[in-house]
Amino acid sequence: KAGVTQTPRYLIKTRGQQVTLSCSPISGHRSVSWYQQTPGQGLQFLFEYFSETQRNKGNFPGRFSGRQFSNSRSEMNVSTLELGDSALYLCASSHGAGREQYFGPGTRLTVT
Amino acid sequence: GEDVEQSLFLSVREGDSSVINCTYTDSSSTYLYWYKQEPGAGLQLLTYIFSNMDMKQDQRLTVLLNKKDKHLSLRIADTQTGDSAIYFCAESRNFGNEKLTFGTGTRLTIIP
């Protein structure tokens, strides 16, 4: 079974721009969660989608948004990029019943 | 509140056992996880334990949970150079809540 895939793997953007990251979960998984990983703040939860509905949200500004499609693929969008948004963005997929969550390789975003 | 703490560094001789410790504060934690992250990679799920269990063994890995003290440990037997990585413990609160709260990570270094 294929694992969680994320595209693109690397991105360089300029302050003020916006970016869209994509995550394809493991086949059969209906939950997709997003995390931001930075050296200073560690791993922080952004949001979780289950069956196209946002079920849980972390403490991030409204510039961070997401959505999930009927095939469970998910996208997250960051608008008006700031230097502090430079991070590794990880998505995780699961069946949605609070058990195993499997992570993708991440998208490394650099904001200049 | 939610808080998960780990030591930042651990050095172990090749062939010895490694023990990585974690403490958490949320008594409603349902599942507790151990993830491994190698340089430039995403998070690899190593193992997880349900909060009503005391121990779980999976090949070289042994997880011990002391729910009274809110203490979780991961023992890696016969540590190899390929075990060099950052190890994160994480907790989730209840069924249907996929949000993981992560510790700071413990960097395991293997001494030849």
Side-chain angles (χ1 to χ4, degrees):
Chain A
K1 205 184 248 191
V4 180
T5 59
Q6 292 187 246
T7 56
R9 292 294 312 278
Y10 303 92
L11 263 181
I12 299 175
K13 290 286 188 179
T14 305
R15 265 181 307 176
Q17 288 186 316
Q18 74 161 11
V19 68
T20 299
L21 313 182
S22 180
C23 173
S24 292
I26 291 170
S27 178
H29 284 186
R30 294 164 66 189
S31 169
V32 174
S33 299
W34 289 89
Y35 293 82
Q36 181 196 64
Q37 185 178 28
T38 59
Q41 299 298 316
L43 281 152
Q44 292 189 290
F45 173 78
L46 281 154
F47 29 65
E48 184 235 347
Y49 286 86
F50 181 81
S51 294
E52 302 179 66
T53 300
Q54 187 181 86
R55 197 163 61 166
N56 213 343
K57 189 177 187 314
N59 295 324
F60 278 81
R63 299 185 297 108
F64 291 81
S65 62
R67 59 177 175 169
Q68 187 179 33
F69 302 95
S70 57
N71 62 358
S72 294
R73 189 178 70 85
S74 177
E75 290 180 346
M76 69 163 280
N77 184 275
V78 188
S79 63
T80 320
L81 283 165
E82 301 176 0
L83 295 179
D85 297 332
S86 294
L88 181 66
Y89 289 88
L90 295 160
C91 82
S93 83
S94 74
H95 286 292
R99 290 184 301 172
E100 305 101 299
Q101 294 191 44
Y102 297 93
F103 281 78
T107 294
R108 171 83 54 193
L109 172 65
T110 302
V111 182
T112 62
Chain B
E2 304 162 355
D3 198 13
V4 181
E5 295 188 356
Q6 300 178 240
S7 300
L8 290 179
F9 304 100
L10 177 66
S11 295
V12 173
R13 292 208 175 273
E14 190 174 0
D16 287 352
S17 291
S18 305
V19 180
I20 304 170
N21 294 302
C22 171
T23 57
Y24 60 98
T25 58
D26 192 344
S27 57
S28 63
S29 297
T30 305
Y31 284 102
L32 294 133
Y33 303 81
W34 285 104
Y35 283 90
K36 175 184 179 183
Q37 187 175 37
E38 295 181 89
L43 299 175
Q44 176 192 353
L45 176 63
L46 290 177
T47 187
Y48 66 96
I49 189 168
F50 188 48
S51 59
N52 69 354
M53 297 169 65
D54 298 324
M55 186 183 90
K56 182 177 180 181
Q57 189 155 1
D58 185 0
Q59 299 182 344
R60 292 192 298 125
L61 305 178
T62 302
V63 178
L64 294 177
L65 174 60
N66 181 328
K67 198 171 180 182
K68 175 176 166 288
D69 294 337
K70 298 190 183 71
H71 182 266
L72 181 74
S73 68
L74 173 70
R75 178 177 179 269
I76 306 172
D78 187 25
T79 309
Q80 303 298 308
T81 54
D83 295 324
S84 291
I86 300 176
Y87 291 80
F88 292 92
C89 69
E91 57 94 18
S92 65
R93 296 187 67 184
N94 49 44
F95 293 112
N97 185 341
E98 305 300 278
K99 175 186 175 183
L100 294 175
T101 300
F102 285 89
T104 51
T106 298
R107 183 180 296 275
L108 176 62
T109 302
I110 312 305
I111 305 165

